[in-house]
């Protein structure tokens, strides 16, 4: 299926010069995650059933990948780290293999050239493992060590000899997020191989070998996936497609929740992702993207992986007809699935109720002192003189006095002013308020939950939580670990409200992971404040109590400079003066 040789291993040989010339030039190794990808793919090719990855300093200090695959004979260790030497010459011959499978014999050499690398391997039949140590591409030592059959590659101090490239690395926690993401892609491309990830902090992720795609996808996309997904299966002249996709209710704000692979290798293929999305038709609203896993099995000679240095992108000989087949397969599968799943759809999503029996009692904290906790709900915004039922907004700095008339569709507020009507966007208004509070050095109000809410995070989400701990806290969420993989939410942003806190945290982590969508405002600090404010603000669709609306309007009135737009440039108010109303109603004198 993958075309990779399994047991009957070929010796490592050098590629012919004319083959080397066809290799896409560029850096194979850009960061720890790309090294991990190459090393795990090598373990896949060696027929490993279980692979473990160990990081130190997010992989910048050290990466170790150990597998239980076929191993490398001692006489070939040096050749393995040489450029353009490979054992993976499929029956097609070297040139075709390069194009279709991407075996260029380049990765180990590329990693060894920019690190201190140890390659230790025990092939089946040998009773000891032998190894070499390579510093900046030069073999400096040979050694032998006990080891179970298989191969270990240790990469220390990536880019130690190329400071310019080392400078481009992000902080260790951010690099670690990239590694987790890469492992998720690798795992979902071959869920039959078990993957584990650990760091100096202990185990970060464990992806056991999964017989069913749904089960594997659930480990990455969240525990609700299996019962909220539908299978996709079709085959045709160009190959076969097998997948598990989330029902439309699971769709995400970007395409990053869709994992595509071709012949067992994760790929980035915009056209294929679009085909999957098109298969959903209008079941997906604008700006929502499918989540799930799609595997394509295509005759290797019909795939060209040699269009990108890291083999992330592929070119298919019959791209158009493969895309059409994928679209049709998704569309057909969804039609059946929607009928089947109708009753479940309403309950999709992470539970924000208490834990379901299996988790320890979270009520314990609530008994402590619910009143004291409730009283601890802070508000940074000053309380205006809102008399009983009074929703009038005090005039400030020449503002017309606003009288709240009511909300419209959980999106807008309508208020009357002295000379007409004012329409207010609830998200933009509260976002602006929080943004200005942050820019003035203030902290955002949070409200403590009387009962903490249980939260389960995937390994990817946990890594994001670590990497973005400051932003999460600044937004007003308080999340603490509560057992292996389990967390609980103790507090939420006060404007955002108490509903569905677990979903809110997951959504926030997803957006942080995607680096925020905002291109405005300019400046790092401003963008950071804007993104925190955006997450803490009242959302479009939130039902807001009148008292809170009045509070927002009052606070807005007090802001210096009377801002008219949110940090991303969308308007906060639309003013309809009396004169305009008069013209509409054909009153003379307007
Ligand atoms: P390629 O994967 O394109 O062949 P690499 O530089 O990644 O090139 O690896 C070179 C060779 O080293 C491989 O062809 C394979 O024979 C051997 N090799 C690398 N990693 C492993 C591993 N984990 N187990 C067995 N053999 C390996
Ligand atoms: Mg390789």
């Amino acid at each position: 299926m993958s075309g990779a040789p399994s047991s009957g291993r070929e010796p490592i040989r050098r590629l012919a010069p004319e083959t080397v010339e066809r290799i896409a030039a560029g850096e194979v190794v850009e960061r720890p995650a790309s090294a991990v990808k190459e090393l795990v793919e090598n373990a896949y090719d060696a027929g490993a059933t279980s692979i473990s990855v160990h990081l130190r300093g997010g992989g910048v200090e050290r990466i170790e990948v150990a597998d239980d695959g076929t191993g490398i004979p001692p006489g070939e260790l040096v050749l393995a780290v040489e450029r353009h030497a490979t054992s993976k010459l499929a029956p097609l011959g070297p040139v075709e293999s390069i194009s279709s499978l991407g075996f260029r014999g380049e990765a180990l050499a590329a990693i060894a050239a920019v690190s201190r690398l140890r390659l230790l391997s025990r092939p089946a039949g040998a009773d000891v493992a032998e190894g070499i140590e390579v510093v900046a591409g030069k073999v400096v030592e040979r050694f032998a060590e006990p080891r179970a059959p298989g191969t270990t590659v240790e990469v220390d101090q990536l880019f130690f000899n190329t400071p310019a490239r080392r400078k481009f690395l992000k902080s260790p926690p951010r690099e670690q997020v990239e590694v987790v993401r890469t492992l998720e892609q690798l795992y979902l491309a071959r869920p039959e191989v078990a993957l584990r990830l650990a760091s100096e902090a202990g185990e970060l992720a464990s992806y056991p070998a999964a017989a069913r795609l749904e089960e594997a996808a659930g480990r990455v996309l969240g525990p609700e996936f299996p019962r909220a997904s539908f299978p996709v299966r079709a085959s045709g002249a160009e190959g076969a497609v097998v997948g598990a996709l989330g029902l439309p209710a699971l769709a995400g704000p970007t395409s990053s929740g869709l994992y595509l692979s071709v012949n067992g290798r994760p790929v980035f293929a915009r056209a294929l992702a679009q085909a999957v999305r098109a298969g959903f038709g209008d079941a997906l609203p604008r700006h929502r993207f499918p989540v799930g896993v799609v595997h394509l099995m295509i005759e290797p000679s019909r795939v060209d992986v040699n269009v990108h240095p890291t083999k992330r992108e592929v070119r298919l000989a019959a791209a158009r007809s493969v895309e059409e087949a994928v679209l049709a397969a998704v569309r057909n599968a969804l039609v059946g699935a929607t009928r089947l799943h109708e009753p479940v759809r309403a309950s999709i999503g992470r539970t924000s109720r208490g834990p379901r029996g299996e988790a320890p009692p979270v009520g314990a904290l609530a008994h402590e002192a619910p009143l004291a906790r409730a009283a601890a709900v802070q508000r940074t915004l000053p309380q205006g003189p809102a008399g009983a039922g009074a929703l009038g907004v005090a005039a400030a700095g020449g503002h017309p006095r606003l009288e709240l008339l009511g909300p419209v569709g959980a999106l807008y507020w309508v208020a009357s002013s002295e000379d007409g009507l004012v329409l207010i966007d609830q998200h933009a208004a509260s976002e602006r308020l929080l943004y200005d509070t942050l820019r003035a050095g203030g902290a955002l109000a949070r409200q403590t939950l009387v009962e903490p809410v249980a939260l389960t995070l995937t390994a990817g989400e946990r890594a994001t939580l670590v990497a973005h701990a400051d932003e999460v806290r600044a937004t007003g969420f308080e999340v603490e670990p509560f057992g292996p993989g389990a967390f609980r939410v103790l507090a939420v942003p006060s404007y955002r409200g108490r509903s569905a806190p677990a979903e809110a945290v997951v959504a926030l982590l997803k957006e942080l992971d995607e680096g925020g969508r905002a291109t405005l405002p300019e400046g790092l600090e401003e963008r950071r404040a804007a993104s925190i404010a955006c997450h803490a603000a009242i959302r479009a669709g939130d039902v807001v109590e009148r008292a809170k609306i009045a509070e927002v309007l009052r606070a807005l009135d007090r802001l210096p400079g009377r801002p008219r737009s949110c940090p991303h440039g969308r308007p906060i108010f639309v003013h309809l003066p009396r004169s305009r109303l008069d013209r509409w109603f054909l009153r003379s004198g307007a």
Side-chain angles (χ1 to χ4, degrees):
M1 169 179 92
S2 68
S6 47
S7 45
R9 188 182 170 282
E10 296 281 328
I12 302 181
R13 280 174 281 180
R14 292 187 183 91
L15 295 172
E18 61 270 26
T19 308
V20 171
E21 275 169 22
R22 294 184 40 177
I23 292 175
E27 295 302 343
V28 183
V29 189
E30 294 162 335
R31 54 178 6 103
S34 37
V36 167
K37 173 181 180 283
E38 294 294 340
L39 298 175
V40 170
E41 287 188 345
N42 278 347
Y44 280 170
D45 295 336
T49 64
S50 171
I51 302 169
S52 71
V53 180
H54 208 288
L55 304 178
R56 216 162 59 207
V60 181
E61 283 308 306
R62 181 186 177 87
I63 300 165
E64 183 184 313
V65 177
D67 68 53
D68 61 354
T70 52
I72 306 170
E76 295 181 15
L77 289 170
V78 172
L79 213 45
V81 296
E82 192 175 295
R83 282 200 83 188
H84 306 310
T86 179
S87 63
K88 300 166 194 172
L89 305 186
L92 298 163
V95 174
E96 287 73 16
S97 304
I98 286 295
S99 286
S100 59
L101 300 168
F103 300 137
R104 311 159 177 173
E106 216 182 7
L108 277 186
I111 299 169
V114 291
S115 69
R116 304 172 197 275
L117 178 141
R118 276 164 54 100
L119 172 63
L120 176 70
S121 192
R122 177 175 159 196
D127 35 45
V128 66
E130 295 193 35
I132 53 173
E133 186 174 335
V134 191
V135 176
K138 298 248 175 333
V139 179
V140 296
E141 211 187 326
R142 290 198 75 114
F143 54 91
E145 260 175 34
R147 193 204 184 282
T151 302
T152 303
V153 182
E154 298 166 12
V155 180
D156 278 322
Q157 293 157 347
L158 194 60
F159 301 143
F160 82 97
N161 57 340
T162 51
R165 290 168 74 184
R166 199 176 166 98
K167 229 175 53 203
F168 271 100
L169 297 177
K170 301 184 203 162
S171 68
R174 302 261 164 125
E175 291 295 342
Q176 189 160 297
V177 170
E178 301 282 338
V179 172
V180 173
R181 195 155 244 292
T182 299
L183 283 182
E184 288 172 347
Q185 288 158 353
L186 287 161
Y187 173 62
L188 291 183
R190 289 209 198 191
E192 68 276 13
V193 180
L195 276 181
R196 300 167 78 86
L197 174 64
S199 76
E200 60 270 63
E203 177 162 280
L204 295 177
S206 169
Y207 303 112
R212 287 163 45 84
L213 214 45
E214 289 76 8
E215 184 192 328
R219 304 253 170 203
V220 171
L221 291 163
E224 71 278 15
F225 184 85
R227 71 185 174 91
S229 66
F230 62 97
V232 178
R233 202 172 270 278
S235 58
E238 283 296 324
V241 48
V242 174
L245 290 169
L247 287 166
L250 282 193
T254 71
S255 55
S256 70
L258 183 62
Y259 294 80
L260 298 175
S261 73
V262 173
N263 296 342
R265 290 284 209 265
V267 295
F268 174 79
R270 186 185 287 272
L272 282 174
Q274 277 165 352
V276 172
R277 184 161 192 270
F280 278 77
D282 50 18
L284 286 182
R286 254 155 53 89
H287 309 306
R288 303 301 282 177
F289 298 85
V291 301
V293 185
V294 174
H295 288 179
L296 286 177
M297 273 75 68
I298 292 175
E299 165 58 42
S301 63
R302 309 280 287 162
V303 185
D304 186 354
V305 248
N306 195 35
V307 293
H308 194 263
T310 69
K311 299 169 280 177
R312 273 281 277 157
E313 286 167 36
V314 292
R315 189 180 295 135
L316 304 180
R320 189 53 66 81
S321 78
V322 171
E323 286 150 29
E324 279 164 12
V326 166
L327 190 159
V330 172
R331 183 197 287 148
N332 294 339
L334 180 65
V335 170
T338 323
R339 261 184 247 123
L340 262 178
H341 279 270
E342 211 58 64
V344 201
R345 284 177 75 183
S347 61
I348 288 164
R350 256 164 239 249
T351 173
S352 334
R353 295 148 250 135
R356 288 158 293 177
E358 75 284 3
V362 288
L365 252 176
H367 293 306
E368 251 175 40
L371 280 179
R373 280 186 162 257
V377 172
Q378 325 138 21
R379 297 187 188 275
T380 30
L381 297 168
Q383 302 277 340
L391 297 169
V393 175
H399 255 226
R401 188 188 160 87
L402 295 180
E403 187 95 25
L404 177 67
L405 298 176
V408 181
L411 272 178
Y412 307 110
W413 303 330
V414 184
S416 65
S417 71
E418 265 146 22
D419 75 329
L421 282 179
V422 177
L423 308 178
I424 299 132
D425 179 298
Q426 67 181 35
H427 175 65
S430 60
E431 188 180 23
R432 178 75 215 199
L433 202 54
L434 298 176
Y435 175 78
D436 285 25
T437 306
L438 283 170
R439 295 295 296 146
L444 302 192
R446 60 179 61 198
Q447 44 184 328
T448 306
L449 298 171
V450 176
E451 291 225 17
V453 168
L455 169 68
T456 320
L457 296 178
T458 66
E461 289 160 351
R462 292 201 296 275
T464 308
L465 182 62
V466 172
H468 294 274
D470 288 349
E471 273 113 317
V472 173
R473 209 171 306 117
T475 304
F477 287 103
E478 207 180 318
V479 178
E480 68 170 24
F482 197 55
F487 294 80
R488 55 187 187 179
V489 187
L490 301 177
V492 296
S494 120
Y495 272 7
R496 188 165 174 146
R498 274 158 301 180
S499 70
E503 284 87 340
V505 171
V506 171
L508 172 64
L509 293 176
K510 179 167 241 164
E511 285 174 30
L512 289 172
D513 191 32
E514 279 150 11
R517 308 140 298 167
T519 49
L520 268 173
E522 277 158 36
L524 205 62
E525 269 309 301
E526 286 84 352
R527 250 205 316 274
R528 188 182 127 87
S531 131
I532 292 168
C534 178
H535 295 303
I538 297 171
R539 322 231 96 196
D542 286 351
V543 176
V544 189
E545 296 156 31
R546 293 180 74 96
K548 193 170 258 177
I549 301 179
E551 183 188 315
V552 174
L553 295 182
R554 265 195 312 275
L556 265 179
D557 250 359
R558 267 188 228 106
L559 283 184
R562 294 162 83 203
R564 305 199 66 86
S565 66
C566 81
H568 305 130
R570 289 182 45 240
I572 298 175
F573 300 106
V574 173
H575 186 208
L576 295 175
R578 220 342 255 286
S579 54
R580 172 104 45 104
L581 300 178
D582 287 346
R583 236 177 298 142
W584 285 349
F585 289 99
L586 307 175
R587 288 192 177 278
S588 54

